[in-house]
Amino acid sequence: MAQSNYDKTLARMPGEFLKYDQQRMIRMFCHDYDAEFLYLRLLDRCYRISRRLGTIEWETGDSVWRPAGFLDAMTIYDLLCCAKDGAALSGRYSQAEHLPGTMHGANPAKGAFDDFAADCDRKPEALRAACLALGGREIPMGELSFEIPLFDFLPVMVQFWSSDEEFPPVFKLMWDENVLMFLRFETVCYAARFLVMRLQAHMGLWAENTEGHM
Protein backbone atom coordinates (compact mmCIF):
# COMPACT_ATOMS: atom_id res chain seq x y z
CA MET A 1 0.00 0.00 0.00
CA ALA A 2 1.41 3.39 -1.04
CA GLN A 3 2.27 5.85 1.70
CA SER A 4 0.09 8.93 1.95
CA ASN A 5 1.64 12.39 1.83
CA TYR A 6 0.90 12.66 5.55
CA ASP A 7 2.85 9.48 6.25
CA LYS A 8 5.75 10.66 4.10
CA THR A 9 5.88 14.01 5.86
CA LEU A 10 5.74 12.41 9.30
CA ALA A 11 8.51 9.96 8.37
CA ARG A 12 10.74 12.85 7.27
CA MET A 13 10.27 15.01 10.36
CA PRO A 14 12.54 13.20 12.88
CA GLY A 15 15.54 13.93 10.65
CA GLU A 16 14.46 17.56 10.30
CA PHE A 17 14.02 17.86 14.07
CA LEU A 18 17.64 16.78 14.66
CA LYS A 19 18.89 19.78 12.69
CA TYR A 20 17.56 22.22 15.31
CA ASP A 21 19.05 23.48 18.57
CA GLN A 22 17.74 21.32 21.41
CA GLN A 23 19.12 23.66 24.05
CA ARG A 24 16.85 26.35 22.65
CA MET A 25 13.90 23.95 22.90
CA ILE A 26 14.79 23.21 26.52
CA ARG A 27 15.18 26.88 27.34
CA MET A 28 11.86 27.86 25.75
CA PHE A 29 9.52 24.92 26.33
CA CYS A 30 10.98 21.59 27.52
CA HIS A 31 11.99 22.27 31.11
CA ASP A 32 11.51 18.54 31.81
CA TYR A 33 14.27 16.61 30.04
CA ASP A 34 17.06 14.09 30.48
CA ALA A 35 19.92 12.75 28.38
CA GLU A 36 17.60 10.65 26.21
CA PHE A 37 14.36 12.62 25.87
CA LEU A 38 12.65 15.99 25.93
CA TYR A 39 9.24 15.85 27.63
CA LEU A 40 6.18 17.94 26.89
CA ARG A 41 2.45 17.85 27.62
CA LEU A 42 -0.02 18.30 24.77
CA LEU A 43 -3.60 18.46 26.07
CA ASP A 44 -4.10 15.44 28.36
CA ARG A 45 -1.06 13.49 27.21
CA CYS A 46 2.61 13.35 28.14
CA TYR A 47 4.96 13.13 25.13
CA ARG A 48 8.64 12.35 24.86
CA ILE A 49 10.88 13.33 21.96
CA SER A 50 14.00 11.23 21.40
CA ARG A 51 17.04 13.48 21.43
CA ARG A 52 18.99 10.94 19.36
CA LEU A 53 16.33 9.77 16.88
CA GLY A 54 13.91 12.70 16.74
CA THR A 55 10.87 10.43 17.10
CA ILE A 56 7.84 11.36 19.24
CA GLU A 57 5.82 9.05 21.49
CA TRP A 58 2.97 9.56 23.96
CA GLU A 59 2.36 7.72 27.22
CA THR A 60 -0.81 5.66 27.57
CA GLY A 61 -2.67 5.17 30.83
CA ASP A 62 -0.84 1.88 31.42
CA SER A 63 2.61 3.49 31.03
CA VAL A 64 3.15 2.19 27.49
CA TRP A 65 4.66 4.57 24.95
CA ARG A 66 3.01 4.74 21.51
CA PRO A 67 4.12 6.64 18.38
CA ALA A 68 2.47 10.01 17.93
CA GLY A 69 0.18 10.48 14.95
CA PHE A 70 0.43 13.13 12.27
CA LEU A 71 -1.57 15.89 13.96
CA ASP A 72 0.00 15.77 17.40
CA ALA A 73 3.53 15.10 16.10
CA MET A 74 3.43 17.97 13.60
CA THR A 75 2.10 20.32 16.29
CA ILE A 76 5.00 19.42 18.59
CA TYR A 77 7.66 19.52 15.86
CA ASP A 78 6.49 22.94 14.69
CA LEU A 79 6.45 24.37 18.21
CA LEU A 80 9.93 23.11 19.10
CA CYS A 81 11.62 23.84 15.80
CA CYS A 82 9.90 26.96 14.50
CA ALA A 83 8.54 29.03 17.41
CA LYS A 84 9.79 32.60 17.33
CA ASP A 85 12.23 33.96 19.87
CA GLY A 86 10.39 35.80 22.63
CA ALA A 87 7.08 34.04 21.95
CA ALA A 88 4.61 35.29 24.55
CA LEU A 89 0.85 35.41 24.99
CA SER A 90 -1.14 38.57 24.37
CA GLY A 91 -4.07 37.58 26.61
CA ARG A 92 -6.50 38.44 23.79
CA TYR A 93 -8.41 35.80 21.84
CA SER A 94 -9.37 35.65 18.18
CA GLN A 95 -10.70 33.10 15.73
CA ALA A 96 -8.02 31.68 13.44
CA GLU A 97 -9.24 33.56 10.39
CA HIS A 98 -8.89 36.89 12.21
CA LEU A 99 -5.44 36.40 13.72
CA PRO A 100 -3.04 39.33 13.16
CA GLY A 101 -0.84 38.73 10.15
CA THR A 102 -3.23 36.38 8.34
CA MET A 103 -5.22 37.14 5.24
CA HIS A 104 -8.63 38.30 6.48
CA GLY A 105 -11.13 35.48 6.22
CA ALA A 106 -8.51 32.83 5.42
CA ASN A 107 -9.73 29.73 7.23
CA PRO A 108 -9.01 26.36 5.59
CA ALA A 109 -10.83 24.65 8.48
CA LYS A 110 -14.07 26.55 7.88
CA GLY A 111 -17.02 24.21 8.29
CA ALA A 112 -14.76 21.35 9.40
CA PHE A 113 -16.43 21.09 12.80
CA ASP A 114 -20.09 21.36 11.76
CA ASP A 115 -20.67 17.64 12.33
CA PHE A 116 -18.98 17.86 15.72
CA ALA A 117 -21.18 20.82 16.64
CA ALA A 118 -24.20 18.62 15.87
CA ASP A 119 -22.79 15.91 18.17
CA CYS A 120 -22.30 18.51 20.91
CA ASP A 121 -25.86 19.69 20.40
CA ARG A 122 -27.05 16.19 21.29
CA LYS A 123 -24.59 15.75 24.18
CA PRO A 124 -23.75 19.16 25.68
CA GLU A 125 -22.96 17.70 29.10
CA ALA A 126 -20.56 15.24 27.47
CA LEU A 127 -18.77 18.19 25.86
CA ARG A 128 -18.50 19.92 29.24
CA ALA A 129 -17.09 16.74 30.81
CA ALA A 130 -14.62 16.35 27.92
CA CYS A 131 -13.36 19.92 28.35
CA LEU A 132 -12.80 19.25 32.04
CA ALA A 133 -10.97 16.00 31.20
CA LEU A 134 -8.56 18.03 29.03
CA GLY A 135 -7.77 20.28 31.98
CA GLY A 136 -10.18 23.00 30.91
CA ARG A 137 -11.23 25.91 33.08
CA GLU A 138 -14.85 26.96 32.63
CA ILE A 139 -15.36 30.63 31.81
CA PRO A 140 -18.67 32.42 32.48
CA MET A 141 -19.14 33.52 28.87
CA GLY A 142 -21.97 32.55 26.56
CA GLU A 143 -23.59 29.13 26.76
CA LEU A 144 -20.42 27.05 27.21
CA SER A 145 -16.85 28.37 27.24
CA PHE A 146 -13.67 26.68 28.44
CA GLU A 147 -10.03 27.72 28.42
CA ILE A 148 -8.07 24.55 27.67
CA PRO A 149 -4.26 24.23 27.84
CA LEU A 150 -3.14 23.02 24.41
CA PHE A 151 0.33 23.17 25.94
CA ASP A 152 0.84 24.23 29.55
CA PHE A 153 1.87 27.67 28.29
CA LEU A 154 -0.55 28.02 25.34
CA PRO A 155 -4.30 27.99 26.05
CA VAL A 156 -7.17 27.68 23.56
CA MET A 157 -10.73 28.79 24.19
CA VAL A 158 -13.54 26.36 23.30
CA GLN A 159 -16.99 27.87 22.81
CA PHE A 160 -20.33 26.23 22.04
CA TRP A 161 -23.87 27.42 21.40
CA SER A 162 -26.73 24.93 21.02
CA SER A 163 -29.25 25.11 18.20
CA ASP A 164 -32.63 26.81 18.35
CA GLU A 165 -35.54 27.30 15.96
CA GLU A 166 -33.55 29.70 13.78
CA PHE A 167 -29.88 28.78 14.06
CA PRO A 168 -27.79 25.58 13.92
CA PRO A 169 -25.39 24.70 16.74
CA VAL A 170 -22.02 26.49 16.73
CA PHE A 171 -18.68 25.14 17.93
CA LYS A 172 -15.63 27.33 17.61
CA LEU A 173 -12.09 27.70 18.86
CA MET A 174 -10.49 30.97 19.88
CA TRP A 175 -6.72 31.40 19.86
CA ASP A 176 -4.42 33.85 21.61
CA GLU A 177 -3.64 36.62 19.15
CA ASN A 178 0.06 35.76 19.44
CA VAL A 179 -0.38 32.05 18.66
CA LEU A 180 1.51 32.50 15.38
CA MET A 181 4.62 33.23 17.42
CA PHE A 182 4.35 29.63 18.65
CA LEU A 183 2.86 27.78 15.65
CA ARG A 184 2.52 28.40 11.95
CA PHE A 185 -1.01 29.00 10.64
CA GLU A 186 -1.20 25.57 9.00
CA THR A 187 -0.16 23.98 12.27
CA VAL A 188 -2.87 25.89 14.16
CA CYS A 189 -5.30 23.99 11.93
CA TYR A 190 -3.59 20.68 12.78
CA ALA A 191 -3.75 21.52 16.49
CA ALA A 192 -7.43 22.42 16.18
CA ARG A 193 -8.23 19.09 14.57
CA PHE A 194 -6.27 17.21 17.21
CA LEU A 195 -8.05 19.09 20.01
CA VAL A 196 -11.42 18.14 18.55
CA MET A 197 -10.29 14.51 18.23
CA ARG A 198 -9.36 14.48 21.93
CA LEU A 199 -12.75 15.97 22.82
CA GLN A 200 -14.43 13.33 20.66
CA ALA A 201 -12.45 10.58 22.38
CA HIS A 202 -13.57 11.75 25.82
CA MET A 203 -17.15 12.01 24.55
CA GLY A 204 -17.02 8.43 23.27
CA LEU A 205 -17.20 9.56 19.63
CA TRP A 206 -13.67 8.57 18.55
CA ALA A 207 -11.72 5.40 19.27
CA GLU A 208 -8.26 5.89 20.81
CA ASN A 209 -6.66 3.40 18.43
CA THR A 210 -7.70 5.42 15.36
CA GLU A 211 -5.89 8.59 16.40
CA GLY A 212 -2.53 7.72 14.87
CA HIS A 213 -3.60 8.85 11.40
CA MET A 214 -5.79 11.42 9.76
Side-chain angles (χ1 to χ4, degrees):
M1 183 177 178
Q3 277 191 318
S4 70
N5 288 334
Y6 296 118
D7 290 334
K8 291 176 182 177
T9 299
L10 184 56
R12 178 175 55 84
M13 286 308 299
E16 293 298 313
F17 169 85
L18 295 175
K19 298 175 183 178
Y20 288 82
D21 181 359
Q22 293 184 19
Q23 290 304 312
R24 180 178 185 269
M25 300 173 193
I26 290 169
R27 185 171 64 252
M28 292 182 70
F29 304 119
C30 297
H31 305 307
D32 186 9
Y33 66 95
D34 56 34
E36 292 295 322
F37 298 101
L38 307 179
Y39 298 92
L40 198 64
R41 287 198 66 82
L42 172 58
L43 295 174
D44 56 334
R45 290 178 174 175
C46 177
Y47 289 79
R48 67 182 186 185
I49 306 95
S50 171
R51 302 185 67 175
R52 182 173 60 87
L53 301 176
T55 52
I56 302 179
E57 301 171 305
W58 61 276
E59 187 177 19
T60 68
D62 51 2
S63 299
V64 174
W65 292 90
R66 295 178 56 181
F70 180 83
L71 297 175
D72 46 346
M74 293 302 292
T75 300
I76 292 171
Y77 282 132
D78 193 33
L79 174 83
L80 296 182
C81 298
C82 301
K84 297 178 181 178
D85 289 335
L89 300 177
S90 71
R92 299 180 299 274
Y93 283 97
S94 173
Q95 288 184 265
E97 60 267 37
H98 300 304
L99 288 170
T102 62
M103 183 180 299
H104 182 71
N107 183 10
K110 184 176 179 61
F113 304 133
D114 289 352
D115 288 345
F116 181 58
D119 290 330
C120 295
D121 203 31
R122 292 187 290 270
K123 304 173 67 175
E125 289 308 312
L127 174 61
R128 175 175 275 104
C131 289
L132 290 169
L134 295 185
R137 177 177 66 88
E138 192 158 11
I139 299 171
M141 182 188 302
E143 185 172 337
L144 182 150
S145 296
F146 275 86
E147 189 178 69
I148 293 176
L150 180 71
F151 295 101
D152 294 340
F153 45 83
L154 182 58
V156 180
M157 188 180 294
V158 168
Q159 296 185 320
F160 174 72
W161 290 266
S162 58
S163 63
D164 58 24
E165 294 81 3
E166 297 184 32
F167 298 101
V170 175
F171 173 87
K172 67 179 182 179
L173 300 177
M174 304 285 286
W175 301 87
D176 188 272
E177 287 187 355
N178 285 353
V179 68
L180 298 184
M181 296 184 72
F182 296 84
L183 302 171
R184 290 174 295 184
F185 185 75
E186 181 181 23
T187 310
V188 169
C189 297
Y190 294 156
R193 291 170 67 182
F194 184 68
L195 170 55
V196 169
M197 286 172 59
R198 294 306 301 144
L199 289 171
Q200 288 174 317
H202 283 286
M203 293 171 68
L205 302 172
W206 189 278
E208 289 270 356
N209 60 6
T210 66
E211 290 187 16
H213 300 283
M214 301 296 289

